[in-house]
Amino acid sequence: MTRVLLDNISKTYPGVAPSVAGLTLNIAEGELFTLLGPSGCGKSTTLRMVAGFVQPTGGRILFDDTDVTNAAPNRRNTGMVFQNYALFPHLTVAGNVSYGLNARKVTAAQKHSRIDTALSQVGLDGYGDRRIDMLSGGQQQRVALARALVIRPSVLLLDEPLSNLDAKLREETRTEIRATQKEAGITCLYVTHDQAEAMSMSDRIAVLEAGEVHQVASPRDVYHRPATAFVARFIGRSNVFTSEVVAIESHTVVVRLGEGTIVKAPIVADTASASATVGMTTAVSLRPEAISLTVNPVTVGSHELTGRVLTAEFTGAVNIYEVDWHGQTLVVSVPGALDRADPGDTVAMAPAQGLVWMVHP
Ligand code: ADP
Ligand code: MG
């Protein structure tokens, strides 16, 4: 298995803002590591630099201790799956999968056995003679994965490989891809703009915006401990408050959200809370499910926010409310079994103790 180090790599095309601006990432052996961010943030450019299709403007790329920054693509032993699969429609499944082996010195017998193994890895045993254009989208996706695996790559690179599938198939396939990757034990760099996909598959996620990394962490941590307001908003839905630090206690930062509402965020090393100082303007993230609602409250506590319900959406498991709070629209989700509020209702919103999280603005 192979470690991958991106050491301060950047890519700047002439006349435009940098596509990738000094990215440093350490990807562990056998890890499924995801680059997540909106369209245009530099995910594909980064992946292509690792594959060798794009030459970095600065920085180094290492596979284990070998510097591959200037190595040709075919010397890096990476397997790549593209968004559109790039399969040959006139070839059979086996013809497509064997394509990657053509440039390699393998006997005909070895070739057959490796194609069979790769097809088996993706659950397509016995499909070798089928024509590509006779396969479903999901099956074509697996052929593309088999073609990447057949060369026994040191590093597997997947660029939005599920975006051509419908929603249900996408959900099934992400579990399959992770299982295949873990079974094969190949280090994998995965690219997506879909946060649910990233959360469900990855060991760790790097959240990117405009060529820069905001956070590298486990799915749990990017969700519950977002580093920045951008991450809080991009992963799931979140309410981000511009706020002021009013006091610092031994384990918590005391923050005023506005209109006198006071909440406390835990102090955690290496996060925004650790560098808080009294009087500074900061931001606080509160997930929709970290807020409880009281309809037509009789009294409102100093830690609560009062607002008016704008919309109420019943989805079965949860009720989702949009609530106007001094011109800012907050999102609150409440288990569906609990009492409902209606548009126009006045509600008190109480942040759950311990789920208030301070982020870099
Ligand atoms: P993503 O995959 O995250 O959507 P890309 O890596 O494709 O983003 O692109 C990042 C940025 O680099 C975009 O602004 C894009 O327009 C720009 N870019 C990518 N390739 C080129 C190119 N060959 N020439 C100029 N600009 C490019
Ligand atoms: Mg892309």
Side-chain angles (χ1 to χ4, degrees):
M1 285 198 261
T2 306
R3 272 176 293 121
V4 178
L5 171 64
L6 308 189
D7 179 14
N8 197 25
I9 57 159
S10 52
K11 179 67 189 179
T12 306
Y13 291 101
V16 291
S19 301
V20 176
L23 209 59
T24 295
L25 299 172
N26 249 304
I27 301 155
E29 289 185 351
E31 186 171 29
L32 200 166
F33 189 99
T34 297
L35 304 177
L36 171 67
S39 176
C41 72
K43 305 181 295 295
S44 294
T45 304
T46 303
L47 207 68
R48 285 163 180 276
M49 288 195 281
V50 176
F53 302 136
V54 169
Q55 189 61 30
T57 319
R60 296 184 312 155
I61 299 171
L62 273 72
F63 287 2
D64 291 328
D65 295 321
T66 309
D67 189 330
V68 299
T69 317
N70 297 307
N74 61 359
R75 307 301 297 269
R76 299 189 187 196
N77 202 33
T78 58
M80 184 133 174
V81 176
F82 299 92
Q83 182 169 349
N84 58 8
Y85 315 145
L87 297 172
F88 302 110
H90 58 286
L91 294 184
T92 60
V93 167
N96 271 276
V97 174
S98 76
Y99 186 75
L101 291 175
N102 287 346
R104 301 188 179 223
K105 291 194 184 76
V106 289
T107 65
Q110 284 169 335
K111 201 166 175 174
H112 280 297
S113 130
R114 282 176 68 166
I115 292 169
D116 286 348
T117 305
L119 288 178
S120 168
Q121 278 177 302
V122 301
L124 285 180
D125 303 84
Y127 277 70
D129 295 332
R130 304 278 183 103
R131 273 176 42 180
I132 289 297
D133 53 9
M134 304 294 276
L135 301 181
S136 70
Q139 289 168 331
Q140 291 187 15
Q141 200 282 327
R142 293 179 198 201
V143 174
L145 184 56
R147 188 177 60 183
L149 290 171
V150 77
I151 64 162
R152 296 180 185 159
S154 314
V155 183
L156 182 61
L157 304 171
L158 304 170
D159 193 349
E160 313 240 10
L162 305 184
S163 48
N164 283 341
L165 305 180
D166 65 52
K168 186 161 181 298
L169 197 54
R170 215 159 44 223
E171 280 181 25
E172 292 166 11
T173 311
R174 63 199 192 194
T175 324
E176 282 174 16
I177 288 185
R178 181 176 165 91
T180 306
Q181 181 262 340
K182 289 296 166 200
E183 212 168 280
I186 300 171
T187 307
C188 178
L189 190 52
Y190 190 96
V191 160
T192 182
H193 67 275
D194 180 332
Q195 48 98 14
E197 195 173 305
M199 299 277 284
S200 66
M201 298 181 68
S202 313
D203 294 309
R204 285 187 304 156
I205 299 171
V207 185
L208 306 182
E209 185 198 20
E212 294 189 50
V213 66
H214 275 249
Q215 185 169 16
V216 178
S218 67
R220 254 186 219 323
D221 278 355
V222 292
Y223 189 82
H224 291 296
R225 299 178 159 196
T228 65
F230 174 82
V231 175
R233 289 194 180 100
F234 193 75
I235 308 286
R237 290 179 88 171
S238 194
N239 302 295
V240 177
F241 299 85
T242 303
S243 43
E244 188 197 343
V245 175
V246 292
I248 295 183
E249 299 176 340
S250 52
H251 300 294
T252 54
V253 182
V254 183
V255 174
R256 183 187 293 122
L257 299 187
E259 296 299 315
T261 302
I262 300 289
V263 296
K264 293 183 178 185
I267 296 176
V268 177
D270 301 321
T271 73
S273 59
S275 54
T277 52
V278 173
M280 82 188 280
T281 300
T282 183
V284 160
S285 159
L286 205 49
R287 294 287 179 194
E289 68 275 19
I291 300 174
S292 60
L293 279 190
T294 310
V295 182
N296 298 322
V298 180
T299 55
V300 176
S302 63
H303 65 295
E304 292 182 312
L305 306 151
T306 316
R308 250 168 79 89
V309 176
L310 297 170
T311 64
E313 185 192 2
F314 179 65
T315 69
V318 288
N319 297 320
I320 297 168
Y321 301 104
E322 290 182 319
V323 183
D324 176 67
W325 175 73
H326 301 286
Q328 182 176 348
T329 301
L330 306 182
V331 183
V332 180
S333 76
V334 174
L338 296 186
D339 268 350
R340 298 186 55 185
D342 292 308
D345 284 350
T346 298
V347 289
M349 295 168 278
Q353 284 286 350
L355 295 181
V356 177
W357 185 253
M358 201 167 154
V359 294
H360 290 290

